[in-house]
Amino acid sequence: MSKTAKVTVDGRSVDVPDNSNALEACRAAGVEVPHFCYHPGLSIVGQCRMCMVEIEGMPKIAASCTVPIRDGMVIKTDTEKAHAARNSTMEFLLINHPLDCPICDQAGECKLQDNAVTGGLPVSRTSEARRQYPGYERTDIGKHVIADMTRCIQCTRCIRFCEEITETGELSFIERGGHTIVWTHEGRALDNELSGCAADVCPVGALTTKEFRFRKRAWWLDKTRSVCTGCEVGCNIAVEHKDRVVHRFIPRVNADVNDFWICDFGRFRSEELNEQELFRPVVRGKETSWGDAQDAIKAAVDAAQKDVLVLGSAKLSTETNWLAAQLFGKHLGANVEFVVDRGDRHRVKNKKADGNVAGWLEGYEAAPNSRGAEAAGVTRGGDTGALAAVLTGTLLPKVIIVLDAAFSAKAEDPAVIAALRKAGTLIVCSRRRSALAAAADVLLPVGGVHNDEGTFVNVQGRVQRFDCAYIPPPIVRTQLEILTHLGKKWGLFDTRWTARSVFEEMRATVPGYAGLDWDSPALVGSAPSASPAAPHDVLEAPAKGGLGLPALQEVGS
Amino acid sequence: MSGGPNLPSAQIAGNPPVGEHGALSCGKALKFSPEARKRVDHLLTRYPTKQAALLPTLWEAQREWGWISREAVDHVAEVLELAPAFVWGVVTFYTMYNRAPVGKHLIQFCTSISCHLADAEGVYAECRKRLGDLKPGETSKDGKFTVIEVECLAQCDKAPAVMVNDDDYAVITKDNLDSFLGGLK
Amino acid sequence: MSKTPVPKGFTPVHSARFGKKGSQKLAGYEADGGYASWKKVAKGWKSGDFTPAKIIDMVKASGLRGRGGAGFPTGLKWTFVPPKEKRGGKPVYLLCNADESEPGTFKDRLIMEEDPHQLLEGMLIASAALDVKHAYIYIRGEMVRCAEVLNEAVAEAYAAGYLGKDILGSGLDIDLTVHRGAGAYICGEETALIESLEGKRGHPRIKPPFPAVSGVWDCPTVVNNVETLAAVKFILDNGPEWFKGMGRNEKNTGPKLYCVSGHVEKPGVYEAPMGIKFMDLLALCGGMKGGKKLKAVIPGGASAAILTAAEVADLPMDFDGVAAAKSMLGSAAIMVMDETTDIPKAVTNISKFFAHESCGQCTPCREGTPWLNKMLKRLIKGEGKRDDLDLLLQISNQMGNGMTICVFSDAAIAPVISGITKFRDEFEAYLSKAKAPDFALAAPAEVTPKVADRVAEGIHG
Ligand SMILES: Cc1cc2nc3c(=O)[nH]c(=O)nc-3n(C[C@H](O)[C@H](O)[C@H](O)COP(=O)(O)O)c2cc1C
Ligand code: SF4
Ligand code: SF4
Ligand code: FES
């Protein structure tokens, strides 16, 4: 652990790591010095000259981000000279900035706008024409990102992101002096695994994502803490939504997992959450009530006398998998198993992925929670598992229950569906219409991950909590509700149970969950930031997260 | 460093349509000649990193092709293992890498303060007029002359100072302009 | 044999061989006693007669101050390089700053063109003193012929064994490479020069760390001007006392090359003892051109504040002398302006230079330099407004004094502030001539040219 130093910020004394700079020391003291080029995840360049402060003993005004702190340093942010300096920088930034906030997507989460509103001069003193950039406006510069150089404030965050984080270097300063812009080399796109983050770090509307452009004013968005389900890395995200529509995912800072970033694959899956297609339980082709559907299930399972295969899912929370394991496995003696697809590699950069060295955190499994499912007591199926036997025809259970119709890409394979269909009763929980859903005897409409809460265990063995953005539509139930209601039929569960109470119940027995606290920062992660361009600091060492469960990876494989 | 095929850039295949941006294309992939490549390889022995050889390598590219095209950037980036955008960023930071073909004689008028005191701007304008009303940076129809304005050439005692390609010329005034131009064949 | 006259009783030093036939060649240089000091150092290296400490002490004792602009004591700068034990195995680099782009400056070019070996010898001695294994000369891109002369000299020095491995049996290994820039004034700033040498855009770095601790390729680095390094050779030739004997006082010592341009009879590089009075220098140049009256002087390159005729009347031209007049000696680029000079136009011209040369990373400089230039251009076009002069001063004051990474921005405002405060009546005259505002059309927006138009927009200039 690095040593600390004592500094005084506007009369308040704080201890900060001695490798901090003055801007970070101010943040630690709760004083936010306005800034543009400083980003906690990127190198320091001191270019925007916004973070000006006075430092005792220094004759000149200083850019706080460029000043390494010393023990005993006295920093003053609230002096006349400091305000004048920051106002100057604001004036210089605004003389050429277009006044197009009403049509700019960044409005509401723009650092320039924020700093202009909280400080800055009330009048404009320039009468010169504003600079224009023909050919450099509203241009596609990559698969996801649109650039508009009239809005750029030359902070180089995006350039540093592509150099230091993705190491792909697609962006560079072009030209110099007042003509400086950010651009790609002609014919080469901004195309990397994390390209959406380049738009995140942009403090203004110069880089925006195509997917979010003109979708929603930022200030309307509600933000819910969640975890990406794209792969086993489990990047922390905020699901940003309004009026029961999800508009985007924005990374949440987690120094131990995804730092400030998420990959494009994960980020642009947000639209999937809006695809609820099933709204009523269906029994043998007929829409019906939950009561009838549950009765049908109970009757079939009881009649099958343990000859039941329940497919859990690595896409469902540990809590739901645990309920399934308890009810069907432990109590009813059925086979409870999950399978997980090995998909494409997805990865995210982390400053200390490799001990204390920056590196990539990689995920190959196309689901967020195989470790949690396994820890909950669901068997990891493989080539020799029950599902495999069903597919080869060597096993023919009387009842098959698919808790998650999207458990695997296999669920779309007609041969697989046909094999599952051979069961006497096929029960499927699904959000969407699909061939598998259509084949089911009992079809239960279920909400998405954003309609529920629970925990996942990621590739590092960290337990991470995700929250409910909004409850499912009327009649549609969450996975947890479906299971607690079913469990009640056998007198085992209580329908008042929540993910939290299940978590507390299962903690004692599920490996790795012992001693965890539902509300602990380690589980919850950081709060969503007000703007993707203004992520939280990770200055203070975050509480040691979750658990050391490395062995889980090996179990069952 | 003069020369290069003196095509108006609009005629070069593959160039971005009007209103677009970026490095111009010369229409074909480029590769250093073996001699140039040898010089670049020698350059690499003089620096601890490949990147450090970028400026001299771009000079080699300009010597080889007359100007720095999109394809030249691509090739230099490949040779030095750099991102093409980075190379293009470097090219555009410095003023002496030509980003379009120039005439046989690139006439560079200093108009900084000492030469300004000797009416360099006037001579610069007059020179363009005499070559057929050339706009700043325009190349004459015969492809022989491109006239541009540059900052201080460190010849302030010889104001107005002019550089033609790599050669320095002293005290070019409206009076000796014709003989100066006549000397450029 | 200097090409220009020198003050009575002064023997030229740097310029002694300028203009001599074959002055660039090694043979001629050796015939004139060249490389004698280097041979002495090399010979005394193994025996311990010459040590880094001894050389550094000589340079310190001479009072040599950097000739690149800031006038920082050279010996002191050299002591900032961490001792070997603290360098963690990293090499030390010596970079010779030959970017000479400050408008009005043309002295380094002369040293390199006329007597390149004096620079090489100085660099070799400095390299030995600083434990440098590879030294670079960063020469501005425009000086193509000059770079050719240097390269020939370097080849000669290698062939003669003055450069290379185990030089003259001393055990010293020193390499030297000439590196050409490509047209960017800012690369004269030492950290921008370092970035540029590394193959990047010439963006000055934030300090700390200072180059002496972490410079090029993260290694300890010393950057010195051409004239500074050449002076080291003469200090070893003649001793620090000799060097100190020249000049006005203890703090302003040695011979100095002055670049005089503008409205004088014979512009050129003049060598004189540090601290020569401006009027004496003017006399060496044959006085004012056409006998006109002196109006103003820029004493140290375009970055220096303009001085009035009265201010230079009795001014000693050295670091502290010019600083006392609230300007700077800078690169000793003295631009003389006679009574016919239009100061607002001259200031506008200088502001164009700075707008064009800003590297563009700091907001105040990137946005401020073009703003000043646009306002001044408007003013001299007769479209000035009543508040413009005050606004110009206010904006200028917002750009300097720590507001930016490097002092380019401070340099950019010096001519504007001094011009307007000292010659305000001339600016006011433009205002009173100003046309009534034109309501019909707003000024056309400034446009960042497309690449196809780049050359046409005069981006080279
Ligand atoms: C904008 C700017 C331009 C400069 N240009 C030059 C230059 O062309 N040549 C030079 O020797 N020093 C130049 N300098 C000064 C260098 O930063 C540095 O101080 C100098 O090279 C140190 O050498 P010295 O100690 O021998 O003077 C410049 C400084 C600034 C801020
Ligand atoms: S595009 Fe955005 S992030 Fe990139 S330099 Fe401009 S303002 Fe900064
Ligand atoms: S002050 Fe100007 S030249 Fe210096 S680093 Fe900043 S922008 Fe570049
Ligand atoms: S945040 Fe400090 S200079 Fe930009």
Side-chain angles (χ1 to χ4, degrees), chain B residues 1 9-10 17-24 43 45-56 59 62 82 86 88-102 106 108-118 121 124 135-139 146-159 163-168, chain C residues 93 100-106 109-110 113 134 136 138 140-145 148 158 175-184 186-187 192 195-203 217 260-263 267-269 298 302 335-337 341-342 345-347 349-350 352-354 356-359 450-452 454-461:
Chain B
M1 253 161 323
S9 47
V18 179
E20 291 206 10
H21 44 72
L24 301 181
L43 281 173
T45 65
R46 304 303 293 180
Y47 304 94
T49 66
K50 279 195 167 180
Q51 185 175 44
L54 178 54
L55 263 57
W59 281 125
Q62 182 143 311
L82 298 168
F86 175 85
W88 180 237
V90 169
V91 169
T92 57
F93 184 83
Y94 299 95
T95 53
M96 292 184 70
Y97 298 121
N98 300 329
R99 296 185 233 163
V102 295
L106 179 62
Q108 303 154 69
F109 272 91
C110 170
T111 56
S112 287
I113 180 71
S114 296
C115 293
H116 160 84
L117 294 174
E121 285 101 331
Y124 171 55
K135 280 192 291 213
E138 196 181 303
T139 301
T146 306
V147 191
I148 58 170
E149 189 182 355
V150 297
E151 301 295 357
C152 184
L153 288 171
Q155 296 204 77
C156 318
D157 51 339
K158 308 193 186 76
M163 223 175 130
V164 181
N165 299 340
D166 295 348
D167 295 307
D168 304 319
Chain C
Y93 289 100
E100 191 163 62
S101 317
E102 178 78 34
T105 318
F106 45 98
R109 170 201 270 274
L110 226 59
E113 258 171 16
H134 202 140
Y136 293 84
Y138 185 101
R140 69 177 289 198
E142 288 86 346
M143 295 186 186
V144 189
R145 298 293 169 234
E148 285 168 7
Y158 266 109
D175 280 310
L176 195 150
T177 301
V178 178
H179 183 96
R180 266 182 77 206
I186 192 61
C187 291
E195 289 276 299
S196 182
L197 179 60
E198 288 184 359
K200 306 181 192 157
R201 296 164 59 88
H203 289 175
W217 302 299
V260 189
S261 63
H263 299 139
V269 170
I298 302 179
M335 287 167 278
V336 179
M337 302 183 220
T341 311
D342 185 324
K345 277 195 176 149
V347 170
N349 176 282
I350 297 176
K352 174 207 76 171
F353 172 81
F354 284 107
H356 183 250
E357 297 295 341
S358 163
C359 86
K450 279 161 265 160
V451 166
R454 279 282 155 199
V455 179
E457 290 283 336
I459 193 71
H460 291 79

Side-chain angles (χ1 to χ4, degrees), chain A residues 23 33-39 44-52 62-66 155 157 160, chain C residues 405:
Chain A
L23 185 147
V33 185
H35 60 266
F36 295 107
C37 67
Y38 170 82
H39 186 289
I44 300 287
V45 287
Q47 292 173 335
C48 74
R49 315 310 286 178
M50 186 64 205
C51 63
M52 309 306 283
S64 55
C65 70
T66 67
C155 71
R157 277 180 171 197
R160 281 175 282 147
Chain C
I405 292 177

Side-chain angles (χ1 to χ4, degrees), chain C residues 154-193:
Chain C
V154 170
E156 281 183 319
Y158 266 109
Y162 294 134
L163 263 171
K165 293 258 168 302
D166 190 17
I167 296 167
L168 307 171
S170 62
L172 286 162
D173 303 333
I174 302 171
D175 280 310
L176 195 150
T177 301
V178 178
H179 183 96
R180 266 182 77 206
Y185 163 68
I186 192 61
C187 291
E189 197 278 344
E190 57 185 3
T191 55
L193 183 146

Side-chain angles (χ1 to χ4, degrees), chain A residues 47 125 127 132 175, chain C residues 201 361 378 385 394 446:
Chain A
Q47 292 173 335
R125 299 190 293 173
S127 51
Q132 294 184 358
E175 312 296 346
Chain C
R201 296 164 59 88
Q361 52 172 347
R378 189 161 50 70
K385 289 185 287 190
Q394 283 166 11
E446 188 207 350

